[in-house]
Coordinates of all heavy atoms in Angstrom, one line a residue:
P427 N -11.6 -1.5 -7.9 CA -12.5 -0.8 -9.0 C -13.5 -1.8 -9.6 O -14.3 -1.3 -10.4 CB -11.3 -0.5 -10.1 CG -10.3 -1.3 -9.8 CD -10.2 -1.5 -8.3
T428 N -13.4 -3.1 -9.4 CA -14.3 -4.1 -9.8 C -15.5 -4.2 -9.0 O -16.3 -5.1 -9.2 CB -13.6 -5.4 -10.0 OG1 -13.0 -5.8 -8.7 CG2 -12.5 -5.5 -11.0
S429 N -15.7 -3.3 -8.0 CA -16.8 -3.3 -7.2 C -17.3 -1.8 -7.3 O -16.9 -0.9 -6.4 CB -16.5 -3.7 -5.7 OG -17.7 -3.6 -4.9
F430 N -18.3 -1.5 -8.1 CA -18.8 -0.1 -8.3 C -19.2 0.5 -7.0 O -18.9 1.7 -6.8 CB -20.0 -0.2 -9.4 CG -20.7 1.1 -9.5 CD1 -20.1 2.0 -10.6 CD2 -21.6 1.7 -8.8 CE1 -20.7 3.2 -10.9 CE2 -22.2 2.9 -9.1 CZ -21.6 3.7 -10.2
F431 N -20.0 -0.2 -6.2 CA -20.6 0.5 -5.0 C -19.5 0.6 -3.8 O -19.9 1.2 -2.8 CB -21.8 -0.3 -4.6 CG -23.0 0.0 -5.4 CD1 -23.4 -1.0 -6.4 CD2 -23.7 1.2 -5.4 CE1 -24.6 -0.8 -7.1 CE2 -24.7 1.5 -6.2 CZ -25.2 0.4 -7.0
E432 N -18.3 0.1 -4.1 CA -17.4 0.5 -3.1 C -16.3 1.4 -3.6 O -15.8 2.3 -3.0 CB -16.6 -0.9 -2.8 CG -17.4 -1.9 -1.9 CD -16.8 -3.2 -1.9 OE1 -16.8 -4.0 -2.7 OE2 -16.2 -3.5 -0.7
F433 N -15.9 1.3 -5.0 CA -15.0 2.0 -5.7 C -15.3 3.6 -5.8 O -14.7 4.5 -5.4 CB -14.7 1.5 -7.1 CG -13.6 2.3 -7.8 CD1 -12.3 2.3 -7.4 CD2 -14.0 3.0 -9.0 CE1 -11.4 3.0 -8.2 CE2 -13.1 3.7 -9.7 CZ -11.6 3.8 -9.2
I434 N -16.6 3.8 -6.2 CA -17.0 5.2 -6.4 C -17.2 5.9 -5.1 O -16.7 7.0 -5.0 CB -18.4 5.3 -7.1 CG1 -18.1 4.5 -8.6 CG2 -18.9 6.6 -7.4 CD1 -17.0 5.2 -9.4
P435 N -17.8 5.3 -4.1 CA -17.8 6.1 -2.7 C -16.4 6.3 -2.3 O -16.1 7.4 -1.7 CB -18.5 5.1 -1.8 CG -19.5 4.4 -2.7 CD -18.7 4.2 -4.0
G436 N -15.4 5.5 -2.5 CA -14.0 5.7 -2.3 C -13.6 6.9 -3.0 O -12.5 7.6 -2.3
L437 N -13.9 7.3 -4.1 CA -13.5 8.4 -4.8 C -14.3 9.6 -4.4 O -13.8 10.7 -4.8 CB -13.7 8.2 -6.4 CG -12.9 7.2 -7.1 CD1 -13.4 7.0 -8.5 CD2 -11.5 7.4 -7.0
L438 N -15.4 9.5 -3.7 CA -16.2 10.6 -3.4 C -16.0 11.2 -1.9 O -15.9 12.4 -1.7 CB -17.7 10.2 -3.5 CG -18.1 10.0 -5.0 CD1 -19.5 9.4 -5.1 CD2 -18.1 11.3 -5.8
V439 N -16.1 10.4 -1.0 CA -16.2 10.7 0.4 C -14.9 11.5 1.0 O -15.0 12.8 1.2 CB -16.5 9.6 1.4 CG1 -16.5 10.2 2.8 CG2 -17.9 9.0 1.0
V440 N -13.8 10.9 1.0 CA -12.5 11.4 1.5 C -12.0 12.6 0.5 O -11.7 13.7 1.0 CB -11.4 10.5 1.9 CG1 -10.2 11.2 2.3 CG2 -12.0 9.5 3.1
P441 N -11.9 12.2 -0.7 CA -11.5 13.4 -1.6 C -12.6 14.6 -1.6 O -12.1 15.8 -1.6 CB -11.6 12.7 -3.0 CG -11.3 11.3 -2.8 CD -12.1 11.1 -1.5
G442 N -13.8 14.3 -1.4 CA -14.8 15.3 -1.3 C -14.5 16.2 0.0 O -14.7 17.4 -0.1
F443 N -14.2 15.6 1.1 CA -13.9 16.2 2.3 C -12.7 17.3 2.1 O -12.7 18.4 2.6 CB -13.6 15.4 3.4 CG -12.8 15.9 4.6 CD1 -13.5 16.7 5.5 CD2 -11.4 15.5 4.9 CE1 -12.8 17.3 6.5 CE2 -10.9 16.1 5.9 CZ -11.4 16.9 6.8
I444 N -11.6 16.7 1.4 CA -10.5 17.6 1.2 C -10.8 18.8 0.3 O -10.4 19.9 0.6 CB -9.4 16.7 0.5 CG1 -8.9 15.6 1.5 CG2 -8.2 17.6 0.1 CD1 -8.0 14.6 0.8
I445 N -11.6 18.6 -0.8 CA -12.0 19.7 -1.7 C -12.9 20.6 -0.9 O -12.8 21.9 -1.0 CB -12.8 19.1 -2.9 CG1 -11.8 18.3 -3.7 CG2 -13.5 20.2 -3.6 CD1 -12.5 17.4 -4.9
A446 N -13.8 20.0 0.0 CA -14.6 21.1 0.8 C -13.9 21.9 1.6 O -14.1 23.1 1.8 CB -15.6 20.3 1.6
I447 N -12.8 21.3 2.3 CA -12.0 22.2 3.2 C -11.1 23.1 2.4 O -11.1 24.4 2.9 CB -11.1 21.2 4.0 CG1 -11.9 20.4 4.9 CG2 -10.1 22.0 4.9 CD1 -12.7 20.9 6.0
I448 N -10.6 22.7 1.4 CA -9.8 23.7 0.6 C -10.7 24.9 0.1 O -10.3 26.0 0.1 CB -9.2 23.0 -0.7 CG1 -8.1 22.0 -0.2 CG2 -8.5 24.1 -1.6 CD1 -7.5 21.2 -1.2
G449 N -12.0 24.6 -0.4 CA -12.8 25.6 -0.9 C -13.3 26.4 0.3 O -13.3 27.7 0.0
C450 N -13.7 26.0 1.4 CA -14.1 26.8 2.4 C -13.0 27.6 3.0 O -13.3 28.9 3.3 CB -14.8 26.0 3.5 SG -16.4 25.3 3.2
V451 N -11.8 27.2 3.0 CA -10.8 28.0 3.6 C -10.4 29.0 2.6 O -10.2 30.2 2.9 CB -9.5 27.0 3.8 CG1 -8.2 27.9 4.0 CG2 -9.7 26.1 5.0
G452 N -10.5 28.7 1.3 CA -10.3 29.7 0.3 C -11.3 30.8 0.2 O -11.0 32.0 0.0
A453 N -12.6 30.5 0.6 CA -13.7 31.4 0.7 C -13.5 32.4 1.9 O -14.0 33.5 1.8 CB -15.0 30.7 0.7
L454 N -12.7 32.0 2.9 CA -12.4 32.9 4.0 C -11.5 33.9 3.8 O -11.2 34.8 4.6 CB -12.1 32.0 5.3 CG -13.2 31.0 5.8 CD1 -12.6 30.2 7.0 CD2 -14.2 31.8 6.3
R455 N -10.7 33.7 2.6 CA -9.8 34.8 2.3 C -10.5 36.0 1.7 O -11.0 35.9 0.6 CB -8.7 34.2 1.2 CG -7.9 33.2 1.8 CD -7.1 32.4 0.8 NE -6.4 33.3 -0.1 CZ -5.7 33.0 -1.4 NH1 -5.9 31.9 -1.9 NH2 -5.0 33.9 -2.0
K456 N -10.6 37.0 2.5 CA -11.5 38.1 2.2 C -10.8 38.8 1.1 O -11.4 39.6 0.2 CB -11.6 39.1 3.3 CG -12.3 38.4 4.5 CD -13.8 38.0 4.1 CE -14.5 37.4 5.4 NZ -15.9 37.0 5.0
K457 N -9.5 39.0 1.0 CA -8.8 39.7 0.0 C -8.3 38.9 -1.2 O -7.7 37.8 -0.9 CB -7.6 40.6 0.6 CG -8.1 41.6 1.6 CD -7.0 42.4 2.2 CE -7.5 43.5 3.1 NZ -6.3 44.3 3.7

Side-chain angles (χ1 to χ4, degrees):
T428 54
S429 179
F430 178 88
F431 287 105
E432 291 171 281
F433 180 67
I434 300 304
L437 293 176
L438 291 170
V439 176
V440 174
F443 163 70
I444 295 171
I445 292 170
I447 295 299
I448 292 174
C450 289
V451 169
L454 292 175
R455 292 170 57 191
K456 300 297 184 182
K457 295 181 180 180

